Amino acid sequence: MAEPSDELIEGACFSGRAGSEPYTEAKAIDAGRNQCATLMDGDEKADWLAAQRFGSDSRPLTDAQGKQLNAALRETLCPE
């Protein structure tokens, strides 16, 4: 499995969908925890949800990038 790039993770964590305000660290952690719940539930749309949760209108993420985010989350915030 390919390692997630720092650029992907950094860009994702600080773009956010919550309006035009940049993500704060707390919002990024909340989004990560919410995504962990999605991963624990085994949701078939987990990659898409990660892309939606961490992307923005100005910096949309693909499902493939969502998959990389999920891999990074599993190694850090929400191991299986």
Side-chain angles (χ1 to χ4, degrees):
M1 179 179 295
E3 292 290 320
S5 70
D6 291 338
E7 180 181 326
L8 168 70
I9 303 301
E10 181 178 328
C13 288
F14 293 102
S15 59
R17 284 219 177 262
S20 60
E21 297 177 25
Y23 250 24
T24 63
E25 184 176 341
K27 286 182 184 178
I29 291 170
D30 284 343
R33 287 182 178 146
N34 289 336
Q35 188 63 21
C36 285
T38 296
L39 293 171
M40 298 290 183
D41 290 342
D43 194 315
E44 291 180 11
K45 295 183 179 182
D47 297 341
W48 179 83
L49 287 167
Q52 297 303 303
R53 199 167 261 141
F54 291 98
S56 70
D57 291 337
S58 63
R59 189 169 177 156
L61 299 178
T62 66
D63 290 0
Q65 290 169 313
K67 185 174 184 171
Q68 288 181 316
L69 283 164
N70 285 333
L73 286 170
R74 284 187 182 107
E75 291 178 14
T76 56
L77 192 58
C78 49
E80 295 183 74

